[in-house]
Amino acid sequence: MTLPPAGEPHDDLLRRAVLPADGLADLHAAARGVLWLAADPETGRRRLWQWHDRLEDGRPRPLSPEHLDIASRLNGYGGGALACLGEHAIFVEADSQTLHRQPLSGGEARPWWARHGNRYGGLTPDPHRRRLLAVEESGHGRDASQRLVALDGEHRQVLDAGADFYGAPALSPCGTRLAWVEWDLGVMPWQRSRLRQARLDARGRLHDLTHWDAGAAITQPRFTAANGLIVLSDHGGWWQPYRVTGRAGALDVRRLGKRQADHASTPWQLGECQHLWPTGDQGVLMAFEEGAARIRVTDGQGREHAPILRDASRLVGLAHADGWLYAITQGARHAARLSRVNLTTHAEETLFALPTPEHPPLPRTLQATVAHGERVSAFVYASAASTRPPPLIVRVHGGPTSASYPVFDPLVHYWTQHGFAVADINPRGSGNAGRAYRERLAGEWGRSDVEDVIALTTSLVARGLADPDRLFVRGQSAGGFTVLNLLATSPLFRAGASLYGVTDAPHLATRTHRFESGYLDWLLGDAHTQRVRSPIHRLDTFTTPVIFFQGNRDSVVVPEQTLAMAEALRRRGVPARVMLFDDEGHGIRQPHNRCRMIAAELQFFVEQGDGQG
């Protein structure tokens, strides 16, 4: 498999490919400007950044020290690791889960709160009582437990306990009302959750609790500037905004707007914010259209007005202050960036951006027909080489109820510059396309997703967009499970890459963290089905070479699974390579490790494309 020379020097391409396209998160706006987290390109550690128009040179600056990594470990996926409280930022240090306090004027970050063995996320300021609200988790595996707490740096108050899981709390502007979501062990927050509300007294204790269970998934409770509550619920088939009023036993729930689309992404993390209500008669809503996020200003009833941030196709987070809307977005032509929009004039300004090449590969949305006339879509990026048809890499996202987005990704740029076309598929079960599409995966994981990849790849070959003799597939986490089942089902691909992928579902169910401990029953069904669809038990039909990448500190997909799978394949004569990273968890995040991984994966695909085993 001879590839054309890249358009940039190899080392520079690889250096760029290592950079995260989605390296900005946890956006907050405060009197001292805007705060967010950004991954350091040299170390991969997430640092606190600040921007405000009174900085000397007008440029953003990092505030937290280089040696600290900021991340929540709650539920294994975290979220909500940052909040602003008065003249300080409070953030969660990744390894110890200690909360640190960072002066916004600069200076040293100091430990503010720690409780041995506990993890924290969903940080929410309560400025009226000079404290922080958070979800607290203790213990491990199925013995873990969660509660809603308030912290002031010296004392801890348990606000609510008893639910299996808690979503990030939301406090009304007047400080007298609190809302959150909670759900039960055995279901995921995008399957079924309930809304809770309470009144807070002067001492911050909860009273007059209300409960709304729509038999579906409720997410992202947000209070308006006038203290009204709006949530996103998918009991109508889509995550749509609803205004919730009334008291316990007499709640009134009314839908805002008419657009039938998901207005939120699948809630894998806490602290997400994809709708805001800055004034009594103005809101900002995001909705997915053919897999791309579109952001619009609305009135207080959800009626849509002006579109904003038109070049964005993924919304990571929103915040607002002093008449400005702040947003972290990604787009087909730009990596993650922080922008602000004047809510009166709609003038836009970019404040901070990750690097993007001058001519990024642009996605083309293509669909293929699968069983029962259903359709599956993918975002396809053409090869930069003139070779036609080109070799193809199909990417399967994790989750499996996450999603691929039509956004710039440095890794896609790397592959297209090396002569590959790339297809990011959204199999049935993916998010952002409504509840029915997401639940299409119930009991079907390892079967319908495999059918979808085969159908999409076959369609691309038939259209002349991919070389049938040079097809490759890669997937991470749940996507790795799809990849391995695909290679056990079909000889269509020349090689596959599994990034910390699931290999043994029944074994995983006994070892994984509590958040997903009941998920496999919904995805696969009973113990027998979990076994027969696990790649480790389908070795007889494997012939395709595989390369595995695995973090040795992974608590979601434990490394023993990957090592056992690779060894079993080798015993059958199937080429199987393993790269184990001692200092990584569920994901290969550190730049020096990503560099090794990306280079090894490309070399493996080139070797197998040339027929070298």
Side-chain angles (χ1 to χ4, degrees):
M1 178 177 172
T2 303
L3 295 174
E8 299 181 45
H10 173 77
D11 289 346
D12 191 45
L13 268 178
L14 185 56
R15 178 181 61 81
R16 291 178 182 229
V18 166
L19 297 176
D22 58 349
L24 309 183
D26 263 334
L27 178 64
H28 297 268
R32 281 193 173 267
V34 192
L35 305 173
W36 68 97
L37 303 181
D40 188 309
E42 299 299 325
T43 65
R45 298 189 188 102
R46 288 147 291 203
R47 297 182 66 189
L48 170 63
W49 281 72
Q50 178 193 42
W51 176 90
H52 61 80
D53 53 14
R54 296 179 299 280
L55 289 175
E56 287 185 9
D57 57 3
R59 300 177 63 182
R61 63 174 182 174
L63 281 182
S64 62
E66 294 183 19
H67 68 277
L68 288 183
D69 186 19
I70 301 174
S72 166
R73 300 296 187 198
L74 195 87
N75 293 334
Y77 298 99
L82 170 67
C84 182
L85 190 60
E87 296 294 311
H88 295 83
I90 310 293
F91 60 78
V92 184
E93 191 274 321
D95 288 336
S96 68
Q97 292 294 280
T98 296
L99 276 65
H100 285 69
R101 186 170 71 167
Q102 170 75 58
L104 296 181
S105 57
E108 186 178 356
R110 297 182 179 276
W112 183 75
W113 174 265
R115 193 174 177 92
H116 180 70
N118 283 3
R119 298 169 291 280
Y120 293 92
L123 305 188
T124 302
D126 181 357
H128 305 274
R129 301 166 185 86
R130 298 181 181 180
R131 65 181 188 173
L132 199 65
L133 311 180
V135 180
E136 179 185 78
E137 183 178 58
S138 58
H140 296 278
R142 288 183 178 268
D143 294 329
S145 61
Q146 292 188 1
R147 60 211 64 89
L148 197 59
V149 299
L151 309 169
D152 65 7
E154 297 181 357
H155 305 96
R156 165 181 171 272
Q157 178 183 6
V158 176
L159 299 177
D160 194 79
D164 291 323
F165 296 95
Y166 287 85
L171 185 68
S172 65
C174 64
T176 63
R177 295 173 62 198
L178 181 67
W180 68 92
V181 294
E182 58 186 41
W183 63 98
D184 299 322
L185 186 66
V187 300
M188 304 302 287
W190 51 87
Q191 294 173 317
R192 184 166 185 171
S193 58
R194 53 192 173 269
L195 173 72
R196 300 295 304 278
Q197 290 186 77
R199 182 177 59 83
L200 281 77
D201 63 21
R203 298 177 62 183
R205 296 172 300 189
L206 304 188
H207 301 275
D208 302 331
L209 272 69
T210 65
H211 168 111
W212 180 42
D213 187 342
I218 300 170
T219 188
Q220 295 189 33
R222 291 283 174 269
F223 284 95
T224 70
N227 298 299
L229 178 62
I230 296 176
V231 303
L232 303 178
S233 174
D234 72 348
H235 64 275
W238 308 87
W239 270 310
Q240 294 170 291
Y242 291 83
R243 187 184 299 276
V244 181
T245 58
R247 295 183 175 274
L251 287 179
D252 182 29
V253 180
R254 297 190 180 186
R255 198 178 93 189
L256 304 180
K258 297 181 179 180
R259 181 178 291 274
Q260 289 194 314
D262 274 342
H263 290 69
S265 51
T266 312
W268 279 92
Q269 294 185 316
L270 279 72
E272 294 183 320
C273 181
Q274 293 170 315
H275 69 113
L276 271 182
W277 305 86
T279 69
D281 59 357
Q282 189 180 54
V284 179
L285 279 172
M286 181 272 293
F288 286 103
E289 299 175 6
E290 297 183 346
R294 304 303 180 203
I295 308 164
R296 295 176 175 87
V297 176
T298 74
D299 64 17
Q301 300 303 314
R303 291 186 291 261
E304 296 174 357
H305 295 303
I308 56 174
L309 301 166
R310 292 172 180 264
D311 59 348
S313 48
R314 182 180 189 183
L315 176 62
V316 178
L318 292 170
H320 71 93
D322 301 326
W324 290 92
L325 174 78
Y326 297 89
I328 292 176
T329 64
Q330 294 173 258
R333 298 180 184 274
H334 68 86
R337 72 186 185 195
L338 170 62
S339 303
R340 69 171 181 169
V341 181
N342 187 295
L343 287 170
T344 301
T345 66
H346 295 174
E348 299 180 9
E349 180 182 358
T350 298
L351 305 178
F352 184 86
L354 298 182
T356 307
E358 187 175 350
H359 300 290
L362 298 179
R364 176 181 172 192
T365 304
L366 296 175
Q367 292 188 330
T369 303
V370 291
H372 310 295
E374 294 180 285
R375 307 282 286 176
V376 62
S377 65
F379 303 114
V380 181
Y381 301 82
S383 165
S386 57
T387 306
R388 291 293 185 269
L392 172 72
I393 297 174
V394 179
R395 294 203 301 181
V396 186
H397 62 70
T401 46
S402 298
S404 295
Y405 296 82
V407 297
F408 169 72
D409 185 334
L411 187 53
V412 171
H413 181 239
Y414 177 78
W415 284 326
T416 58
Q417 289 294 305
H418 277 88
F420 290 87
V422 179
D424 280 344
I425 186 171
N426 276 318
R428 286 170 289 176
S430 299
N432 307 343
R435 185 178 181 91
Y437 194 80
R438 196 170 64 248
E439 293 200 328
R440 186 64 180 81
L441 200 60
E444 293 294 315
W445 192 36
R447 183 162 58 193
S448 68
D449 49 322
V450 168
E451 292 174 357
D452 293 351
V453 175
I454 292 173
L456 187 279
T457 306
T458 303
S459 176
L460 295 180
V461 169
R463 299 181 198 192
L465 300 177
D467 184 343
D469 295 323
R470 296 184 295 172
L471 303 174
F472 308 92
V473 62
R474 77 183 313 258
Q476 59 193 49
S477 192
F481 179 85
T482 300
V483 165
L484 296 173
N485 273 308
L486 178 65
L487 301 184
T489 301
S490 169
L492 184 63
F493 293 91
R494 291 294 295 269
S498 172
L499 287 71
Y500 37 95
V502 177
T503 65
D504 186 342
H507 185 249
L508 176 67
T510 67
R511 296 292 304 275
T512 195
H513 57 173
R514 181 169 174 259
F515 179 63
E516 294 182 87
S517 59
Y519 194 24
L520 291 174
D521 295 338
W522 183 85
L523 288 168
L524 291 169
D526 59 24
H528 172 73
T529 304
Q530 291 183 24
R531 176 180 172 84
V532 298
R533 289 215 206 126
S534 291
I536 191 68
H537 300 298
R538 303 186 63 189
L539 297 171
D540 289 347
T541 54
F542 262 93
T543 58
T544 304
V546 189
I547 187 167
F548 296 89
F549 301 99
Q550 176 70 47
N552 211 23
R553 299 169 59 187
D554 195 337
S555 63
V556 179
V557 176
V558 293
E560 291 83 0
Q561 283 211 8
T562 293
L563 296 172
M565 180 76 189
E567 179 58 30
L569 287 173
R570 291 192 201 105
R571 287 198 299 267
R572 296 193 53 79
V574 178
R577 300 183 192 174
V578 179
M579 287 191 71
L580 194 64
F581 300 93
D582 288 337
D583 51 352
E584 297 283 7
H586 193 61
I588 312 302
R589 189 168 57 84
Q590 299 183 48
H592 65 281
N593 288 334
R594 286 184 56 78
C595 185
R596 292 172 52 209
M597 179 188 75
I598 293 168
E601 184 177 12
L602 177 68
Q603 183 62 33
F604 187 75
F605 287 167
V606 170
E607 289 176 2
Q608 302 308 322
D610 281 337
Q612 302 171 12

